[in-house]
Amino acid sequence: MSLDGTYDDGNIFAKILRGEAPAAKVFEDDHVLAFMDVFPQAKGHTLVIPKHSSARNLLEEEPQTLAHLFQGVQRVARAVRAALRPDGLTITQFNGAVSGQTVFHLHVHIIPRWDGVPLGRHGEGGMADAGELKTLAAEIAAKIS
Ligand code: AMP
């Protein structure tokens, strides 16, 4: 899907927001939802999405919603750091299929990084164990401040 197009409310993140698909939830407020990525590129890979949005990508989003989204990203990233003590955090966001985007509801990736551990390939890792994701989500959630 290119940068041009219309929002499809059948996408998996819209289903998670409506409670129609499961997610290992980390954090939620009036504006954003954070949950574990089921194909993590590293342990603790977390996604943050706007809750009230029909933007497929960053270019389409309202500035005020972006402000709330990135406040949420910072809050969750701090909790990921506190919970997992990574050496760094890779924060990414893709726009259009050619860039690597596979889900067309705006979202931001928070990926913890450790010295000597290469980043897993985007969209090519295996599916994580649901129980492990739930445990990680609880560990990160406990550090939200
Ligand atoms: P992107 O490729 O940037 O659009 O990112 C979409 C991300 O969503 C990928 O990293 C996928 O692993 C992840 N993903 C796909 N389906 C689900 C799901 N049901 N729950 C959590 N993460 C998902």
Side-chain angles (χ1 to χ4, degrees):
M1 196 180 282
S2 76
L3 287 177
D4 299 311
T6 53
Y7 182 83
D8 173 8
D9 68 4
N11 75 75
I12 185 64
F13 294 171
K15 287 182 178 172
I16 288 171
L17 283 169
R18 292 194 297 266
E20 297 168 6
K25 293 185 182 179
V26 170
F27 172 72
E28 184 166 12
D29 66 10
D30 289 345
H31 304 287
V32 301
L33 173 67
F35 52 95
M36 306 311 297
D37 194 305
V38 289
F39 299 101
Q41 289 179 256
K43 178 181 145 188
H45 183 164
T46 306
L47 301 169
V48 187
I49 67 173
K51 284 169 72 168
H52 310 291
S53 176
S54 55
R56 294 172 310 138
N57 55 52
L58 185 138
L59 283 66
E60 295 178 356
E61 192 54 276
E62 296 294 332
Q64 191 58 37
T65 305
L66 280 181
H68 289 306
L69 175 62
F70 278 86
Q71 284 165 26
V73 168
Q74 185 191 52
R75 196 165 178 195
V76 174
R78 286 175 169 164
V80 169
R81 182 190 186 194
L84 303 179
R85 309 309 303 176
D87 300 308
L89 293 161
T90 295
I91 295 185
T92 57
Q93 189 276 318
F94 301 88
N95 300 278
V98 73
S99 77
Q101 185 175 11
T102 57
V103 177
F104 293 87
H105 177 109
L106 173 62
H107 56 278
V108 177
H109 299 257
I110 299 171
I111 309 173
R113 304 295 306 279
W114 286 269
D115 286 336
V117 180
L119 182 64
R121 287 179 67 83
H122 180 65
E124 292 182 15
M127 194 176 222
D129 175 79
E132 283 175 24
L133 289 187
K134 214 172 155 185
T135 301
L136 278 167
E139 287 173 10
I140 299 167
K143 298 293 184 182
I144 293 281
S145 59

